[in-house]
């Protein structure tokens, strides 16, 4: 199980006495015991009877540090110029404090934490937020058939679905809605519309504001010159922020149904965003080839 260190990344080794010791060797030794890259561990303070190190990481697997106090002290204590006192110890104010647990205690804590994490993840994954987008939906120029469909399909799959008022074609507004939904603990955050190649389509761009490493595969990419679109193609997106997945669906209802079929198969599977995005994109590309075809100046309407 991976633990967030919550910015508490300092380790203090107490009753550690140094004489003519190479601090870089101590840092490398600590990095080795904790299975971290050497350039992620630094000695930041040396006092008469203790030293402090900082770990330049945001999270660690439990097996890297839980119950590792004895191993760490033995490794550091064996270095030239290092002497340990009879009550030497390793301390941290944060999650890293679990380094001082015994191996048995560490295993028990890790098991309990894993169970709790799985329960939390299961509950979060069942909370879904749906955002229709676009001025044509806001002004009721077109009927929003997507939101009722998603509410019904995902609800029947066991989810608690919250439908939002339509979002305008504004990248900052959409990105802000994503951030608030993540903070509110929604496991799936879904938009419909706004993935096209026009100057009013911002769903994918908003996703990238919130999740820069999101997967955004093309459904179709236009050739050089001649096409009337502002952007070079049509994309969908899947990103993950913490426990929350953000997915940008197209607008046409038949495409939303295709995307939903894929999503339902992965709803509780903790999928890799890259894999899920490509599964959705592949299904949409197949539809594109079967119904529209690909040509250099082709166009396709997306709400």
């Amino acid at each position: 199980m991976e633990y967030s260190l919550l910015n508490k990344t300092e380790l203090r080794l107490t009753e550690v006495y140094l004489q003519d010791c190479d601090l870089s060797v101590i840092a490398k030794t600590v990095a080795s015991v904790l299975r971290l890259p050497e350039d992620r561990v630094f000695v930041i303070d040396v006092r008469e009877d203790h030293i402090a190190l900082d770990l330049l990481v945001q999270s660690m697997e439990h097996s890297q540090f839980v119950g590792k106090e004895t191993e760490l002290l033995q490794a550091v204590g064996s270095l030239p110029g290092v002497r340990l006192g009879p009550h030497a110890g390793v301390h941290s104010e944060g999650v890293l404090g679990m380094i001082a647990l015994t191996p048995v205690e560490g295993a028990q804590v890790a098991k309990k934490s894993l169970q709790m994490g799985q329960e939390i993840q299961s509950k979060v994954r069942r909370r879904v937020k749906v955002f229709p987008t676009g001025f044509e939906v806001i002004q009721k120029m077109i009927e929003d058939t997507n939101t009722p469909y998603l509410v019904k399909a995902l609800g029947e799959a066991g989810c608690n679905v919250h439908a939002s008022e339509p979002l305008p074609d504004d990248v900052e507004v959409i990105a802000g809605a994503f951030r608030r939904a993540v903070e509110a603990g929604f496991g799936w955050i879904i938009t419909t519309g706004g993935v096209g190649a026009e100057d009013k389509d911002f769903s994918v761009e908003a996703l990238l504001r919130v999740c820069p490493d999101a997967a955004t595969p093309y459904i179709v990419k236009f050739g050089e010159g001649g096409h009337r679109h502002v952007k070079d193609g049509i994309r969908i997106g899947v990103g993950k922020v913490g426990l929350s997945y953000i997915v940008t669906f197209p607008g046409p209802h038949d495409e939303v149904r295709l995307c939903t079929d894929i999503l339902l198969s992965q709803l509780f599977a903790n999928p890799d965003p890259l894999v899920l995005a490509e599964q959705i994109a592949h299904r949409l590309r197949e539809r594109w080839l079967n119904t529209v075809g690909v040509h250099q100046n082709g166009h396709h309407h997306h709400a």
Side-chain angles (χ1 to χ4, degrees):
M1 180 177 179
E2 186 172 1
Y3 288 88
S4 171
L5 301 186
L6 304 174
N7 295 319
K8 300 287 188 179
T9 57
E10 182 176 316
L11 282 180
R12 288 179 293 108
L13 278 62
T14 58
E15 286 203 26
V16 175
Y17 305 96
L18 308 181
Q19 185 171 1
D20 296 328
C21 186
D22 187 338
L23 296 179
S24 66
V25 174
I26 292 179
K28 290 178 181 178
T29 300
V30 172
S32 177
V33 172
L34 300 181
R35 304 202 314 272
L36 291 173
E38 291 182 355
D39 62 355
R40 299 288 86 187
V41 180
F42 293 90
V43 176
I44 57 173
D45 191 24
V46 178
R47 299 298 174 96
E48 181 177 320
D49 61 351
H50 71 267
I51 60 175
L53 302 99
D54 194 22
L55 314 183
L56 302 184
V57 294
Q58 294 301 313
S59 63
M60 293 175 68
E61 290 289 333
H62 76 275
S63 61
Q64 291 180 266
F65 70 96
V66 176
K68 287 291 189 83
E69 179 182 53
T70 299
E71 181 182 349
L72 184 61
L73 289 173
Q74 288 177 345
V76 171
S78 68
L79 297 175
V82 178
R83 180 174 63 85
L84 301 181
H87 303 293
V90 182
H91 307 274
S92 175
E93 295 181 357
V95 173
L96 281 173
M98 287 194 292
I99 198 170
L101 297 176
T102 66
V104 172
E105 290 172 335
Q108 292 172 339
V109 169
K111 182 179 180 180
K112 187 173 182 179
S113 296
L114 180 60
Q115 291 173 339
M116 292 175 61
Q118 290 172 337
E119 291 173 3
I120 292 170
Q121 183 170 305
S122 177
K123 290 179 181 179
V124 169
R125 193 72 75 247
R126 294 179 185 276
R127 302 189 71 237
V128 180
K129 187 79 167 181
V130 176
F131 292 106
T133 69
F135 77 95
E136 61 270 59
V137 180
I138 293 173
Q139 296 181 13
K140 300 187 183 301
M141 297 168 60
I142 63 173
E143 180 184 1
D144 176 17
T145 56
N146 292 326
T147 299
Y149 172 76
L150 286 167
V151 169
K152 184 174 185 293
L154 293 167
E156 290 177 348
C159 293
N160 182 9
V161 188
H162 297 246
S164 168
E165 291 297 315
L167 298 175
D169 300 309
D170 185 305
V171 66
E172 294 297 341
V173 172
I174 299 172
F178 286 160
R179 294 187 183 99
R180 289 189 294 276
V182 169
E183 292 170 359
F186 286 98
W188 290 98
I189 301 158
I190 303 168
T191 60
T192 58
V195 303
E198 311 305 333
D199 60 0
K200 69 179 183 63
D201 295 316
F202 293 113
S203 294
V204 173
E205 287 77 8
L207 168 61
L208 290 170
R209 294 281 181 93
V210 178
C211 183
D213 60 350
T216 59
Y218 282 91
I219 306 307
V220 60
K221 193 167 186 179
F222 305 118
E224 291 293 332
H227 64 79
R228 64 175 178 81
H229 305 286
V230 174
K231 292 182 276 188
D232 65 350
I234 299 167
R235 297 183 291 171
I236 55 94
V238 179
K240 189 176 184 185
V241 181
L243 296 178
S244 302
Y245 287 88
I246 304 173
V247 185
T248 61
F249 282 174
H253 186 64
D254 56 347
E255 296 184 9
V256 169
R257 293 177 74 97
L258 289 175
C259 295
T260 303
D261 288 344
I262 299 293
L263 184 62
L264 287 172
S265 71
Q266 301 293 320
L267 206 55
F268 307 115
N270 198 32
D272 183 322
L274 291 170
V275 174
L276 178 58
E278 189 51 44
Q279 288 175 334
I280 294 171
H282 177 71
R283 182 69 63 87
L284 292 172
R285 289 188 204 111
E286 285 184 331
R287 181 190 178 279
W288 173 274
L289 289 171
N290 291 333
T291 62
V292 180
V294 176
H295 53 87
Q296 186 167 348
N297 296 318
H299 74 276
H300 188 45
H301 173 70
H302 279 63

